[in-house]
Amino acid sequence: QVQLVESGGGSVQTGGSLRLSCAASGYTGNTGCMGWFRQAPGKMREGVASIDIDGGGTTFHADSVKGRFSISQDNAKNTVYLQMNSLKPEDTAMYYCAASVWSAWCSTIRQVDFNYWGQGTQVTVSS
C-alpha cells in the first residue's frame, strides 16, 4: 500500500503561483509513475502532469498546462511537486496526487492507470 498526502493548495489571483506537494509513504518501492490530476465542479477528472519514476524522471504535461505547470520529484523525501505559474481561473479545481505501480502508460496521464490516490487539495484562482 502507498499513502499519498497533498498540500499546498489555496486561493490566488490570476497570474499567481502555487506549489503543490505530494508526500508518499508506505511501500513506495514499487511506484513506477506519479501523477497530478484535477477535477473542477461538474467536470470529469483530468490528467495534468506525470513523472516516470522508472524512466529516470521523464515528465509529461497536459497541453492545457504546458509552459505554466511543472512536475518534479525529490526522491530523498519521497515527494512529488507541481509548480503552477501564471494561474488562470480555469485552473480552479481539486487537485489530486496519484501513484501507479506501472510506468508504461505514464505519458498518457489516465486515471485508470493509477492505483493509489490522495485526498486532494483545493486550488482556487480568482479573476
Side-chain angles (χ1 to χ4, degrees), residues 4 6 37 45 96-99 111-112 114-119:
L4 304 171
E6 303 98 334
F37 292 78
R45 191 172 297 186
Y96 297 92
C97 175
Q111 61 175 324
V112 68
F114 287 79
N115 313 98
Y116 305 102
W117 293 83
Q119 294 299 308

Side-chain angles (χ1 to χ4, degrees), residues 70-111:
S70 179
I71 189 172
S72 62
Q73 63 175 333
D74 184 332
N75 289 332
K77 296 182 179 180
N78 283 333
T79 299
V80 172
Y81 302 98
L82 184 67
Q83 178 67 45
M84 305 186 295
N85 300 324
S86 302
L87 283 160
K88 305 175 181 179
E90 51 263 44
D91 295 318
T92 295
M94 185 71 79
Y95 283 71
Y96 297 92
C97 175
S100 173
V101 298
W102 307 284
S103 63
W105 307 109
C106 199
S107 63
T108 59
I109 326 175
R110 300 183 310 166
Q111 61 175 324

Side-chain angles (χ1 to χ4, degrees), residues 4-9 20-22 36-39 45 93-98 117-123:
L4 304 171
V5 179
E6 303 98 334
S7 61
L20 306 183
S21 299
C22 173
W36 284 98
F37 292 78
R38 66 185 181 185
Q39 187 167 18
R45 191 172 297 186
M94 185 71 79
Y95 283 71
Y96 297 92
C97 175
W117 293 83
Q119 294 299 308
T121 185
Q122 178 68 36
V123 171

